[in-house]
Amino acid sequence: MGLISALVFTILLALIEAKVSFIAIGDWGSPGRMQKSVASSSGDWGSNNNADFVITTGDNFYENGVSSTTDKQWDNTWNRVYTKSGIRKTWYATLGNHDHRTHDGDDQVKAHGKRYDNLRWYMPKKYYTFSKKPEGTGVIQFIALDTDDRYSSTQLKWFQQQLQESKARWIIVYGHHGTYSSGPHGGSGTMESKYRPLMEKYKVALYFQGHDHNMEHVYNPSSRIVDYVTSGSAAKLRSQASGELKYLTRKRLYTKFFKTNAFAGVTISGDRATVEFIDGRGKRFYSFTKTNPRIGFSIGK
């Protein structure tokens, strides 16, 4: 193989193998056996899959958030628990209802940039956006919502603007309250009526949520635009609610529900995303592959 051919082959191989991996973890801030087991298995998954960062789906610190940027929970519930290198990354966090209980969650925003060596807290505002650009995949835009403030016309207008102006190849949204869920809390009517239509219009691929303490995958098999993923069992567990399940059935939505202490590991390569549910022992018990719904979409329109 000539020098030029070898160079071209190397570049093509790099593009094929280019990917971004991250961990989605929710309702994690309650010290105990369950939190420690998921902290360990997520750290292992992060190392084995070269995880780039972490997103949280809220309820970062039970029961009432943190009271300052130096609250002992930063150390006891976060730094001393997530000790493996595979998860000591930047955590792009969102607020949950428990986080809002003290100072309306303001101290977690003030802690933006707080770090213990490679473990870094990222929350510049209560809702924000950031992007990643792995070679060969294109820009992946993440939009973090403050769903406790989901009734706010200001946040909704901002969200719509982010979607309208996005030129990203992929868009992934995450927040605490669910859009669709068969857990005890169920989905939020506001998330379904106000945010869901925008996510569908602008071809958001995935919405990660917490609030219900389980793992769940919900999607519409006839359209398959947005997949709704609950990752809310990193420290607590709750059972499925029959009434909420009936609601999803009436909506003709497909669901896979697990009352399992776990987190979600996500890998995006090109126009395919793989989402894995991993339990506290490190076992993958469910996974699905998602094709980018923005393929062929008129980006930026």
Side-chain angles (χ1 to χ4, degrees):
M1 183 181 292
L3 180 60
I4 295 177
S5 297
L7 180 60
V8 171
F9 177 79
T10 301
I11 293 172
L12 288 174
L13 185 63
L15 291 176
I16 291 170
E17 294 179 342
K19 64 180 181 179
V20 62
S21 295
F22 62 93
I23 291 165
I25 189 169
D27 301 76
W28 52 272
S30 181
R33 177 185 56 80
M34 286 194 288
Q35 187 198 27
K36 288 180 179 178
S37 67
V38 169
S40 178
S41 62
S42 60
D44 291 339
W45 188 93
S47 293
N48 294 335
N49 293 273
N50 297 315
D52 299 286
F53 56 93
V54 178
I55 64 171
T56 83
T57 59
D59 280 359
N60 306 310
F61 299 100
Y62 284 102
E63 291 290 324
N64 302 303
V66 291
S67 59
S68 70
T69 60
T70 57
D71 190 302
K72 63 182 181 180
Q73 283 206 81
W74 290 104
D75 195 26
N76 294 341
T77 305
W78 187 42
N79 177 47
R80 295 189 183 185
V81 178
Y82 299 92
T83 57
K84 292 189 174 181
S85 61
I87 199 167
R88 290 185 78 80
K89 310 285 183 177
T90 297
W91 286 44
Y92 294 89
T94 55
L95 296 169
N97 55 301
H98 284 269
D99 299 310
H100 272 277
R101 289 183 178 181
T102 301
H103 303 159
D104 200 29
D106 290 341
D107 295 299
Q108 294 189 41
V109 177
K110 291 177 183 177
H112 174 64
K114 185 180 183 70
R115 66 189 310 153
Y116 298 90
D117 55 75
N118 293 326
L119 187 62
R120 177 173 174 246
W121 189 257
Y122 191 99
M123 190 188 286
K125 295 180 179 180
K126 291 182 180 177
Y127 52 91
Y128 60 92
T129 184
F130 68 96
S131 296
K132 300 292 181 179
K133 191 178 180 181
E135 278 192 71
T137 295
V139 175
I140 306 170
Q141 182 177 6
F142 293 82
I143 301 176
L145 298 175
D146 177 13
T147 59
D148 241 49
D149 196 31
R150 60 192 178 278
Y151 311 106
S152 163
S153 60
T154 302
Q155 180 176 206
L156 183 62
K157 185 177 180 179
W158 172 87
F159 181 58
Q160 183 172 7
Q161 184 178 9
Q162 293 300 315
L163 294 174
Q164 285 176 335
E165 296 178 355
S166 179
K167 294 179 172 57
R169 184 68 173 172
W170 287 84
I171 301 178
I172 294 171
V173 180
Y174 62 106
H176 185 60
H177 293 82
T179 303
Y180 292 116
S181 167
S182 64
H185 290 300
S188 157
T190 301
M191 292 301 296
E192 182 181 1
S193 64
K194 300 294 186 181
Y195 287 83
R196 177 196 55 80
L198 291 173
M199 289 194 283
E200 291 186 354
K201 179 179 180 180
Y202 293 102
K203 313 298 183 187
V204 169
L206 295 158
Y207 176 67
F208 288 95
Q209 58 195 36
H211 201 37
D212 277 319
H213 303 156
N214 51 259
M215 302 295 291
E216 187 171 21
H217 175 209
V218 178
Y219 68 90
N220 184 335
S222 64
S223 65
R224 198 67 190 270
I225 299 174
V226 188
D227 283 51
Y228 301 91
V229 179
T230 301
S231 182
S233 59
K236 296 187 176 188
L237 288 176
R238 285 187 179 176
S239 301
Q240 193 171 38
S242 59
E244 301 299 340
L245 178 58
K246 289 178 181 177
Y247 180 77
L248 297 184
T249 302
R250 288 198 303 271
K251 288 283 184 176
R252 297 184 178 180
L253 298 173
Y254 176 89
T255 178
K256 290 291 288 185
F257 179 98
F258 303 93
K259 183 183 177 182
T260 307
N261 188 212
F263 69 96
V266 187
T267 302
I268 298 175
S269 180
D271 281 315
R272 293 172 70 84
T274 300
V275 180
E276 303 175 273
F277 290 178
I278 312 294
D279 68 17
R281 297 169 297 171
K283 180 183 177 181
R284 181 180 68 182
F285 58 91
Y286 179 72
S287 68
F288 68 91
T289 299
K290 169 83 175 181
T291 301
N292 187 357
R294 281 169 71 83
I295 296 175
F297 180 69
S298 185
I299 292 174
K301 299 294 185 180

